[in-house]
Structure formats: structure tokens, C-alpha cells
Amino acid sequence: MNIYLDNCSTTKPREEVIEEIIYALREEYGNPSSLHKMGFNVEKKIEEIRNNIASFLEVNKDEIYFTSGGTESNNMAIQSIINKHNRIGKHIITTKIEHPSVLNVLKDYEEKGYDITYLKVNDKGLISLDQLKRSIREDTILIAIMHVNNEIGAIQPIWEIKKVLKGKNSRALIHVDGVQGFGKVHIDPKGWGVDTYSFSGHKIHGPKGIGGLYINKEIKLNPIIFGGNQERGFRSGTENVPGIMGLGKAVEIMEKNFEKEQNQVNGIKSYFIKRLGEEIDHIHINSPMNHKSSPYILNVSFEYVRGEVLLHYLEDKGIYVSTSSACSSRGTEKSHVLLALGLSNRMIEGAIRFCFSYENTKEDIDYTIEILKKSVEEIRQITMR
Ligand SMILES: Cc1ncc(COP(=O)(O)O)c(C=O)c1O
């Protein structure tokens, strides 16, 4: 039996996505830049997919750029914004709980002399809009804040940032890492006044190595990758056609099932929390409750247990979870997100992240709780001896 509860690290591609990728590799192998019919047909396909993704995001087709995924989109947005506005100022605002694809690029700029303000979060991982307002300066050029946190699921009030900026008369641009929100919770990048927004295919049951970036067409950024001028000159390099077609299929199905799957996952998460509370003591829920958290993510600390040990007990029984984010570490370092929440070492060491998908059933949760209960009891008996 395999119960996959690590859907924040990556998701299982849908069958239709796999079929679409195979079809793309087999049949649609023309280069979209070629002048002949084979190239033209592929180009047409790519443009249809761009159009569908734009319509899902409620933005214009020419505001979507394909990239190799969330990491590249975050890097491109941040670096292009800095390149464009470095004459206006060198101050950037972000949060302490961003993904490494944001934090590490900003760290690099910090070393080059940029001034970075890292907003604190409360014990549920939420920023304070007051602190944001106080942090904005005349030389602030960029505010980079993630929508949904990948370790605890906290949803930041992105829709308020533009209002705060207007109140301060600031021209700073807003970048949102949307990787864990895209296809999972309500999003409206243009309506919220976001300038750049990144997303990734493999978090929504699509392929790895493909994603995209929304760039508000009013802001006109310059590229950081140069070459054959693909993606309207912003991101050169022959297009990842199987990836784009797989992503297109994943978005098409996700859009159709969005509400149904979100409700289903919401039910699974609530049931999981209820059963956890009934069956296991000395636990602490690190994710915010209800609408302040993604229905897809739940972070729990099991006191007197080491997360890695519990992860392997569960794995032995076919249940797959994470201790912290799969892409930030191999689980050996303390999570910067849990540290920012102010959790004690004991709570951080005992933290496990459960990430759900539409494939999880109530029976999966019952089995997981049963194994969790046994494993936690066994580990505690050994460690508390
Ligand atoms: C919040 C967040 N941003 C960015 C990324 C990076 O995305 P990708 O794996 O597509 O590079 C991830 C991946 O885990 C993520 O969770």
C-alpha cells in the first residue's frame, strides 16, 4: 500500500498529462521556431496553452512566459526587477519564510550591497501589514512575498500589499511566489495589483522542469537570459514543448476540478486534524487554521519524537511525508520557517509536513492515523526510557 502525503514536494502526474507528454515527444517534435508546417503547428499549440493559462489566471496571453519552473521564475522576476530599478534604490522587502529560490537570490544581492528587510511572521507564519507599511522607504524597489508557504501552508494577505504601497506613495514592484497557491487556493494576481507571479507544473500533477511567470505588461522588464529570442525575447532557449503540453493538460484538468478537489481535500484535512487530536497526545499544529491556511498543507509537531525517525517508521509502512521542505534541505538542517514561528527546538525536531491531494481518501487517513499512533508510541517509549 502506498499513501502519498508529500504533495508539496511534488505531485503524481495525472494519466492524461503523461499521455500528452508522450504524444508531444512522439508527434509534436518540430521546433516552434522552424518556418515549416511542423514548427508552425507546435507554435500554435504553445500559444493555445499560453492562452488557457492566461485565462485561468485572468491575465492577458502576452503576460505569460514559460520557464523551467518556480525556481527560475522567482530568480528571473527578482533579478529583472532589480536590474531595471537599481537606479531608483537598493532596498528590498521580503519575509523570513520565503522559499530558498527567493531567499538565496536576495542573499546574493545583500552581499552586493543591497539592503534587505526580512519581515517577521507571527506564530502562525503570517506577516503584519503594519510592519510592512513601516518598512517601506523611498528607495524600496521590490517587495517579494510568497502567497502560500510551502512548509506550513500559511496564506499571506497578498491582496492588501498594493493598498499599503499606495498609502505610502511607493513605486516598489510586487513579486509573488505563487508556486504553492497556483491551482490550490483562490488567486487573482492582476486584481491584487501584483507585478510578477510565479508558478510551477509539478505541484499541480503536471511535469517537473516546467513552469511560468506572469509579468504585468505595464512594467516592461528586461531579460536576464539571452539567445534566440524565444518567449518574446524574455526567456531565450528552445521551448520545452513536452513540458509545456503536459503543463497545459494539468492546468486544463485542474481548472475543471478546482472546486471539487479543493472541497474534497478540505474535508480530508479536517478529518485528519480531528483524528490526530483524538488519537495522539502531545502534538502541536504549526499551520494556521481554516481560511488562513491552504487546505493542502498541514504541519504538525509530535513532541518527544524526531521527525526523521518518524518519517522512516511511516515510510516502512508505505506512507510518504516530509520533515521540512524537500527542496530546501535533505531534512538535516533546522527549518528556517519553523524557526521564524518561534517554535522550541523540541517542536522543530518533531515536525512533520503532511500535504494532501485529490487522490487521498478517508481510508488512507484512517490507516495513516493508525500507523502514526503506533509509531509515535514506539518512538516515545525508546526516547523517554
Ligand atoms: C513556495 C515554492 N517556491 C518555489 C519552489 C520551486 O519550484 P520548482 O521546484 O518548480 O523550481 C517551490 C518548490 O518546492 C516552492 O514550494
Side-chain angles (χ1 to χ4, degrees):
M1 185 191 257
N2 258 5
I3 298 181
Y4 188 71
L5 297 175
D6 196 18
N7 289 283
C8 299
S9 301
T10 196
T11 55
K12 181 178 168 186
R14 297 191 201 250
E15 271 314 307
E16 297 91 325
V17 168
I18 297 172
E19 276 163 28
E20 187 72 3
I21 292 169
I22 293 171
Y23 168 76
L25 286 167
R26 205 166 265 151
E27 307 290 339
E28 303 282 6
Y29 56 86
N31 188 324
S33 299
S34 294
L35 293 180
H36 51 67
K37 200 163 70 186
M38 278 179 73
F40 176 76
N41 287 344
V42 177
E43 192 196 0
K44 210 170 117 207
K45 270 250 151 72
I46 292 178
E47 292 318 306
E48 266 169 39
I49 295 165
R50 196 188 308 281
N51 201 31
N52 292 345
I53 295 177
S55 110
F56 171 71
L57 283 169
E58 296 186 17
V59 303
N60 300 324
K61 179 174 169 291
D62 54 359
E63 293 176 311
I64 297 293
Y65 297 84
F66 292 114
T67 69
S68 69
T71 299
E72 186 185 319
S73 294
N74 285 338
N75 270 267
M76 281 209 323
I78 290 171
Q79 297 189 45
S80 308
I81 289 175
I82 294 175
N83 283 353
K84 186 175 162 111
H85 287 292
N86 59 9
R87 273 194 230 101
I88 302 175
K90 287 192 157 36
H91 179 233
I92 294 162
I93 300 173
T94 188
T95 78
K96 285 182 179 237
I97 63 165
E98 294 302 303
H99 187 265
S101 56
V102 168
L103 281 182
N104 288 341
V105 62
L106 291 179
K107 206 190 296 165
D108 188 54
Y109 278 100
E110 201 167 17
E111 279 160 17
K112 289 176 185 150
Y114 282 75
D115 191 7
I116 318 282
T117 300
Y118 297 91
L119 298 178
K120 286 194 216 125
V121 292
N122 67 13
D123 62 346
K124 288 298 174 200
L126 298 164
I127 58 159
S128 139
L129 290 170
D130 263 355
Q131 198 206 350
L132 170 64
K133 192 168 170 186
R134 276 184 270 113
S135 305
I136 296 166
R137 313 190 313 214
E138 240 174 52
D139 62 339
T140 308
I141 53 171
L142 166 66
I143 297 179
I145 298 185
M146 73 199 320
H147 186 207
V148 174
N149 180 269
N150 50 305
E151 293 195 35
I152 55 169
I155 301 178
Q156 304 298 346
I158 301 298
W159 49 94
E160 301 286 356
I161 300 177
K162 190 75 182 182
K163 290 181 218 157
V164 173
L165 277 178
K166 274 192 181 148
K168 294 279 286 195
N169 236 345
S170 167
R171 286 188 298 152
L173 298 180
I174 305 169
H175 170 65
V176 172
D177 173 350
V179 169
Q180 295 285 348
F182 180 74
K184 312 272 171 161
V185 297
H186 169 70
I187 48 174
D188 185 13
K190 195 180 269 297
W192 295 342
V194 164
D195 295 292
T196 53
Y197 176 95
S198 52
F199 56 93
S200 177
H202 72 107
K203 311 290 183 179
I204 57 155
H205 306 277
K208 294 169 182 61
I210 186 72
L213 182 66
Y214 155 74
I215 307 177
N216 171 5
K217 66 176 181 322
E218 310 289 320
I219 67 170
K220 306 253 181 315
L221 295 179
N222 294 323
I224 57 166
I225 292 176
F226 297 88
N229 283 336
Q230 289 88 347
E231 293 299 285
R232 302 180 309 290
F234 189 70
R235 200 270 191 179
S236 288
T238 303
E239 294 85 344
N240 172 1
V241 178
I244 295 173
M245 286 177 61
L247 170 68
K249 190 48 89 181
V251 171
E252 183 191 315
I253 302 172
M254 170 268 283
E255 189 173 10
K256 243 188 262 157
N257 299 347
F258 181 84
E259 244 182 77
K260 189 181 88 192
E261 290 180 357
Q262 198 197 48
N263 285 337
Q264 184 190 331
V265 169
N266 230 333
I268 290 289
K269 181 175 170 182
S270 306
Y271 182 63
F272 190 81
I273 295 174
K274 179 175 152 285
R275 293 290 325 273
L276 259 183
E278 286 165 359
E279 299 294 335
I280 306 175
D281 51 15
H282 299 296
I283 60 164
H284 183 263
I285 308 263
N286 301 320
S287 302
M289 298 307 270
N290 306 328
H291 63 281
K292 297 221 162 112
S293 168
S294 162
Y296 289 82
I297 306 178
L298 179 68
N299 193 302
V300 185
S301 288
F302 297 84
E303 281 187 81
Y304 316 111
V305 164
R306 285 188 73 86
E308 307 99 88
V309 177
L310 181 53
L311 177 147
H312 293 304
Y313 267 69
L314 297 178
E315 171 192 47
D316 255 8
K317 304 283 182 202
I319 301 166
Y320 297 92
V321 297
S322 269
T323 47
S324 66
S325 77
C327 23
S328 68
S329 73
R330 301 211 54 87
T332 49
E333 277 168 38
K334 275 203 195 101
S335 146
H336 68 287
V337 176
L338 300 184
L339 276 170
L341 302 188
L343 291 182
S344 66
N345 280 344
R346 197 167 76 201
M347 292 292 190
I348 296 177
E349 277 167 12
I352 291 281
R353 180 183 69 171
F354 302 93
C355 290
F356 309 103
S357 84
Y358 70 93
E359 287 204 313
N360 299 134
T361 63
K362 239 175 126 191
E363 289 70 37
D364 290 349
I365 301 305
D366 287 332
Y367 175 72
T368 303
I369 295 284
E370 182 194 322
I371 301 300
L372 256 178
K373 188 177 175 177
K374 274 195 210 148
S375 309
V376 167
E377 274 170 12
E378 234 176 282
I379 299 168
R380 281 181 182 161
Q381 263 173 17
I382 299 166
T383 49
M384 293 167 77
R385 216 181 262 160

